[in-house]
Amino acid sequence: QKEVEQNSGPLSVPEGAIASLNCTYSDRGSQSFFWYRQYSGKSPELIMFIYSNGDKEDGRFTAQLNKASQYVSLLIRDSQPSDSATYLCAAGGNNDMRFGAGTRLTVKP
Amino acid sequence: GAVVSQHPSWVICKSGTSVKIECRSLDFQATTMFWYRQFPKQSLMLMATSNEGSKATYEQGVEKDKFLINHASLTLSTLTVTSAHPEDSSFYICSAPDRFYEQYFGPGTRLTVT
């Protein structure tokens, strides 16, 4: 069974703080990893994707991948109330995409 | 970026009737599309993988005779919920990957069965 695990949260951080979201995956054949943000009642929207070990930064977001540990994380710097949402981690291979259950993040003003 | 559309965006139907949901990739071809279901405050649950020109692959526990999937072209997949019941009320979302496996999601279809 290919699994993607996330802490369900809720994770609460004050405005301006760093939010850290974590994810582990079981399928070593996974080749690409994604972080999606989903607001209530809406479809997920892509924040970042990462394929290689190490860090990838895009604005306030940094994705980290460690294939040896089968671990992916997302850091959100200078968190804003508008970042409050559910964050979904996904791992994919050849036409196969598995999602974690999502972590609910609340950024308090 | 690529766009995936779904139609309808919401539908209300009576118990026992069938409902068809369309998923279209508007500016790219998708040999594979995914269908998800999401209940309130829960994560996406993969229902099935739709393959153009062949049978869909269903996840364990998903009734293939109840959720009919047809991927008739490289830009269109349909999900038909047959003999719908109130417990089928949910948010149905499709997605299609590009060649880098990035998933483009449709806006979702909210189904309410009364």
Side-chain angles (χ1 to χ4, degrees), chain B residues 6-24:
Chain B
Q6 275 186 250
H7 178 80
S9 56
W10 60 270
V11 58
I12 301 173
C13 70
K14 292 186 177 181
S15 186
T17 62
S18 295
V19 174
K20 180 184 285 188
I21 303 170
E22 293 185 349
C23 178
R24 293 182 185 272

Side-chain angles (χ1 to χ4, degrees), chain B residues 87-112:
Chain B
E87 57 265 31
D88 298 323
S89 299
S90 188
F91 192 42
Y92 291 85
I93 306 172
C94 71
S95 72
D98 67 8
R99 61 192 181 98
F100 298 109
Y101 312 124
E102 179 177 340
Q103 293 287 341
Y104 294 96
F105 285 89
T109 297
R110 189 163 300 283
L111 170 64
T112 301

Side-chain angles (χ1 to χ4, degrees), chain A residues 1 31-32 34 36 38 41-44 46 49 51 88 92-102 104, chain B residues 31-32 34 36 38 41-44 46 49 59-60 91 93 97 100-108 110:
Chain A
Q1 186 85 12
Q31 300 165 2
S32 44
F34 305 87
Y36 289 86
Q38 186 178 26
K42 302 293 185 181
S43 281
L46 180 68
F49 60 88
Y51 303 128
L88 303 173
N94 291 328
N95 287 329
D96 180 38
M97 180 71 76
R98 300 286 165 168
F99 285 84
R104 183 175 295 275
Chain B
T31 57
T32 301
F34 298 97
Y36 300 88
Q38 187 174 37
K41 298 188 178 182
Q42 295 187 24
S43 188
L44 296 172
L46 180 64
T49 302
E59 294 298 298
Q60 192 173 7
F91 192 42
I93 306 172
F100 298 109
Y101 312 124
E102 179 177 340
Q103 293 287 341
Y104 294 96
F105 285 89
R110 189 163 300 283

Side-chain angles (χ1 to χ4, degrees), chain A residues 1-16:
Chain A
Q1 186 85 12
K2 300 175 183 177
E3 301 285 348
V4 177
E5 302 285 345
Q6 292 181 254
N7 289 328
S8 61
L11 173 66
S12 181
V13 300
E15 184 175 356

Side-chain angles (χ1 to χ4, degrees), chain A residues 13-60:
Chain A
V13 300
E15 184 175 356
I18 295 175
S20 178
L21 305 166
N22 304 313
C23 171
T24 58
Y25 61 96
S26 63
D27 181 14
R28 286 194 175 273
S30 298
Q31 300 165 2
S32 44
F33 306 89
F34 305 87
W35 283 100
Y36 289 86
R37 177 174 59 196
Q38 186 178 26
Y39 294 110
S40 180
K42 302 293 185 181
S43 281
E45 54 181 342
L46 180 68
I47 298 175
M48 291 189 69
F49 60 88
I50 186 167
Y51 303 128
S52 304
N53 276 327
D55 295 359
K56 180 180 179 182
E57 185 175 320
D58 184 0
R60 296 187 296 113

